[in-house]
């Protein structure tokens, strides 16, 4: 897990062949932003602010567990990518916990509140139940 003075975490997408980092995809995490840089001939950079990350899921297949890798899926409120996937990275559990913690802190800092619609009925159903 490489640390850079500008980024908190820098990880590289790895092949499932012995977990070697022979790909051109780099994931960089800061306190306020997730950056995905991929490609060799055509370079593509995708940024997502931490406060837009709503949920994080860690997936580890048997081969990934044997190689010490994992895949993290970030569900976001971003318009370009609703789901960002960090494929086959090392220290996946540590990075997942970092993403959860910093995204929650960023939402609190920006005072961004997510509201979930828990009920399936309308207001009339509640009034009928009370009477």
């Amino acid at each position: 897990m490489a640390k850079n003075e500008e980024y908190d975490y820098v990880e590289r997408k790895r092949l499932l062949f012995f977990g070697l980092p022979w790909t051109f995809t780099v994931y960089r995490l800061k306190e306020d932003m997730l950056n995905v840089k991929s490609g060799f001939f055509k370079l593509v950079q995708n940024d997502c602010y931490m406060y837009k990350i709503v949920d994080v899921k860690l997936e580890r297949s048997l081969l990934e567990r044997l190689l010490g890798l994992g895949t993290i899926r970030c569900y976001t409120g971003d318009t370009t990518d609703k789901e960002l996937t960090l494929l086959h990275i090392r220290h996946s559990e540590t990075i997942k916990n970092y993403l959860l913690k910093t995204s929650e802190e960023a939402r609190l800092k920006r005072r961004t509140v997510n509201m979930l619609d828990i009920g399936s009925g309308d207001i009339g159903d509640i009034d009928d139940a009370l009477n």
Side-chain angles (χ1 to χ4, degrees):
M1 176 169 34
K3 290 251 183 177
N4 189 342
E5 59 269 350
E6 187 178 347
Y7 295 99
D8 294 332
Y9 292 102
V10 177
E11 283 294 328
R12 185 174 285 277
K13 176 182 168 184
R14 297 173 180 271
L15 299 176
L16 280 179
F17 179 72
F18 298 117
L20 298 173
W22 287 343
T23 62
F24 298 102
T25 303
V26 178
Y27 307 108
R28 295 182 176 105
L29 291 118
K30 285 198 283 190
E31 186 178 306
D32 61 342
M33 187 174 297
L34 167 63
N35 175 276
V36 180
K37 184 178 174 182
S38 61
F40 181 71
F41 292 110
K42 180 182 177 183
L43 186 65
V44 177
Q45 281 191 346
N46 190 2
D47 294 324
C48 179
Y49 287 109
M50 279 293 180
Y51 76 91
K52 290 187 178 186
I53 296 176
V54 178
D55 198 13
V56 179
K57 179 166 75 171
L58 173 63
E59 299 173 352
R60 298 181 79 190
S61 67
L62 179 62
L63 187 56
E64 283 179 325
R65 286 184 296 189
L66 290 173
L67 297 172
L69 305 176
T71 297
I72 300 174
R73 298 197 189 279
C74 299
Y75 301 99
T76 69
D78 200 17
T79 56
T80 56
D81 285 319
K82 297 290 182 191
E83 181 179 321
L84 287 173
T85 305
L86 286 67
L87 282 171
H88 313 309
I89 60 170
R90 289 193 177 203
H91 312 287
S92 55
E93 192 165 350
T94 304
I95 292 175
K96 177 201 67 107
N97 292 334
Y98 175 81
L99 283 168
L100 282 172
K101 187 181 98 184
T102 54
S103 65
E104 181 66 24
E105 288 172 357
R107 279 193 298 278
L108 290 173
K109 189 177 184 180
R110 292 180 67 101
R111 298 179 185 183
T112 306
V113 178
N114 289 333
M115 303 286 276
L116 298 175
D117 183 20
I118 297 172
S120 60
D122 61 349
I123 300 298
D125 294 339
I126 295 171
D127 290 337
D128 293 340
L130 293 175
N131 290 330

